[in-house]
Amino acid sequence: SSSASSASSGDGGSRAPDTSLFVPVPLKPGLRGAAGEDVGAELTRPLDKGEVLKHLNKFYKRKEIQRLGAENGLDARLFHQAFISFRKYIMESSSVSADLHIILNDICCDAGKVCPVGHVDDLFPFFLRHAKQIFPMLDCMDDLRKISDLRLPPNWYPDARAIQRKIVFHAGPTNSGKTYHAIQRFLSAKSGIYCGPLKLLAHEIFQKTNDANVPCDLVTGEERIYANEDARQAPHVACTIEMCSTNTPYEVAVIDEIQMIRDPARGWAWTRALLGLCAEEIHVCGEAAAVDLVTELMYTTGEEVEVRNYKRLTPLTVLDYALESLDNLRPGDCIVCFSKNDIYSVSRQIEARGLECAVIYGSLPPGTKLEQAKKFNDPDDPCKILVATDAIGMGLNLCIRRIIFNSIVKPTVNEKGEKEIDSIPTSQALQIAGRAGRFGSSFQQGEVTTMHRDDLVQLKEILSEVVPPVKAAGLHPTPEQIEMFAYHLPDATLSNLIDIFVSLSQVDGMYFVCNIDDFKFLADMIQHIPLNLRSRYVFCTAPLNRKEPFVCTTLLKFARQFSRNEPLTFDWLCRHTKWPLAAPKNIKELVHLEAVHDVFDLYLWLSYRFMDMFPDAALVRDIQKNLDDIIQVGVRNITKLIRASQSAAAPGTAGVASEDFPTSRTKRDARVASNHHGAKSPEALSIAVEAPAQRRSRNARASRSGMRQEDLKSYGRGSLANRLLREGLLTQEMLRQLESEWQDQHRNGRYGFGSKRDDQHSSKETEKKRK
């Protein structure tokens, strides 16, 4: 979908639709009337189905018919599918329409005559009528193209276009004060809205604004908190960006982290806020890489952009040495890992050295993250080390002296949905590194390094590169657009409607259609449940991790009960989640508690969209706070949970996780890497705690195997050896052994292609090694 959506249609032309997305509507064969009459047979005679079949196949092969089909929107794929359906319909029908019966009879009777009355070409109008019945989009393609035309998004927001807005771009790196200056203007305004990427950020601004005696509401997908006791709307509001209103007028709006407008999943929310907020002043904060795109977008709305550049307030130094051993940790250090598995492993090793550490990763509840951040920041707390994922990149104020990258490669998913492991981009590396030496903290200078020496060179290269400019802004089909599609295609599934929409959508070079895989996953999951289209759309936009089976199963149960018009009560939810729950005894139980917390979040999110069907939001919010406390206890004792999980999974391996980081990679690393992307199964977590799963960059791997940079480049991104290395299926030791064997064969003059005897000997040796 990403590749289809990124095509530029700025010249006004339209792409050919991807007809593989057109699902045929099944038609039942015709039956005789109530009295058993067949009008066509009465007017002529019964059809000889054998003769009819011969003439239908002749019709299919005629080039003139195929050309006519193409002129009416039937490419080779659709033409073939339509003919198969048309032939099946005629052959299996006990009675076809009288006019079609007469034509078929004329063709069969006149076969071989010099001047026939009927010809197979006469079937084309009936064939086309049938094709449009099974592919209804053929009859309304122009209307569908108009609905999915996304080339002028500014026109979607007439209220914003009715006023002349002032746009101020606060550009600068992390810890430069850009957001601070925008918030100062927000506080001084008569009314304002703050739009942030995370609930934590929205909550922080909500708290600071009210502390400054400026009444401010909080609005997130799962929560509404009013500053006024009588629930009157305050003039200021802090919200997550998806929840901002484009109809309410404000004096000042702040859009934080504007560079996320390029995010393949959520970018549409920043585009909507930037183009649609009704505010006299729009203060945009983010990386300078987004300045050109924002300026270009505002040019299409007739609004100028004032750019204010900021520099980092405290110095940030990239060290010339790596940490190399956890024995070298100092107070204020933060080790950044890119998987929860590595978090567990590193934190276990730190505490094995008698040090306390705080732990922060993405799936932890907000309250637990704040509690862990407070523990780390507290100068009187013995916890002086932080182990975190890139979740610390934004949303938390942390007193960090030194950022240590445990690895500089991160598992990602490409636009085809395939897992890849590649170096972190410059933008993300700078965002994370910039958390060290925060202005106003006890550390007035930040430091950055890596855990491993051979990662440090590439980290310096990454941090020295210029952040590539943001090229395009995300878009997403609206419920109204999908409803109009459904009006024209009433028999299509929601997932299929979305696919066709993206296929037909036209965008210009400044925009792209966001990835809709999560939406489609949920649409397919609940397709069998009878829901109206608007409700189905809302369920499919629910924010959940589709790799969490318990959460997905719960959504399915929510939708099923919703379809029966049975309210989802507090008692039902407690039975489903087996509430109350005890403190976790191992990692598996901790992961389950996090999933239950996500289920409560899902309930609260749906309660604001279907209040009558999810009536017990207040009770659910109370037990969610209790669950947050239980999870906090688990995270505080995380090394005990890891030890318990390890003992249960692999008795006799207790000492493995506490060893120092090895200089070579092991098979354990490959197993962990295979579970890197979203792995949360107990088995994966048990494997993860056996040893640190450290992955190197491509350059680091090359340096250990003695390969030169030129040799590495010749390998290419798609070479088999390089691909196997990235996927963890081939280690450097195995690669060196293969190279050595090849060289031995080369010296012996065999070049890998010896005699039959040699091959047999080699096979026997290989079999011995395997055994």
Side-chain angles (χ1 to χ4, degrees), residues 134-290:
I134 66 168
F135 294 117
M137 59 284 296
L138 294 173
D139 220 13
C140 55
M141 195 63 74
D142 289 342
D143 290 334
L144 296 179
R145 288 188 188 281
K146 289 176 184 175
I147 296 167
S148 58
D149 190 338
L150 307 179
R151 287 175 293 183
L152 293 172
N155 293 350
W156 304 349
Y157 308 102
D159 292 344
R161 301 291 78 76
I163 60 176
Q164 187 66 29
R165 306 180 306 170
K166 177 184 178 182
I167 314 295
V168 180
F169 195 126
H170 301 265
T174 304
N175 198 14
S176 60
K178 57 186 185 298
T179 305
Y180 169 82
H181 287 90
I183 293 300
Q184 291 304 111
R185 180 66 187 95
F186 168 79
L187 293 172
S188 66
K190 295 177 182 176
S191 62
I193 181 171
Y194 167 85
C195 307
L198 300 171
K199 286 185 281 187
L200 280 176
L201 274 172
H203 198 279
E204 180 186 349
I205 300 302
F206 160 75
Q207 201 74 49
K208 285 182 176 179
T209 306
N210 283 294
D211 289 346
N213 295 319
V214 177
C216 180
D217 296 338
L218 174 69
V219 177
T220 69
E222 301 80 16
E223 193 172 21
R224 308 284 190 281
I225 300 180
Y226 295 98
N228 299 312
E229 293 182 0
D230 57 359
R232 281 185 299 107
Q233 189 172 325
H236 287 70
V237 60
C239 66
T240 45
I241 191 143
E242 286 87 353
M243 300 305 299
C244 70
S245 168
T246 57
N247 301 318
T248 309
Y250 298 101
E251 182 182 347
V252 169
V254 177
I255 304 174
D256 209 356
E257 305 293 351
I258 187 63
Q259 71 276 0
M260 289 190 71
I261 201 169
R262 68 181 162 208
D263 188 85
R266 297 178 65 201
W268 62 270
W270 276 264
T271 305
R272 175 176 170 270
L274 183 63
L275 298 177
L277 283 174
C278 296
E280 297 169 27
E281 292 181 30
I282 308 282
H283 290 259
V284 177
C285 307
E287 295 175 2

Side-chain angles (χ1 to χ4, degrees), residues 598-611:
D598 287 347
V599 165
F600 292 164
D601 260 350
L602 179 62
Y603 184 98
L604 295 172
W605 189 89
L606 289 166
S607 73
Y608 284 108
R609 286 137 185 95
F610 306 111
M611 293 183 183

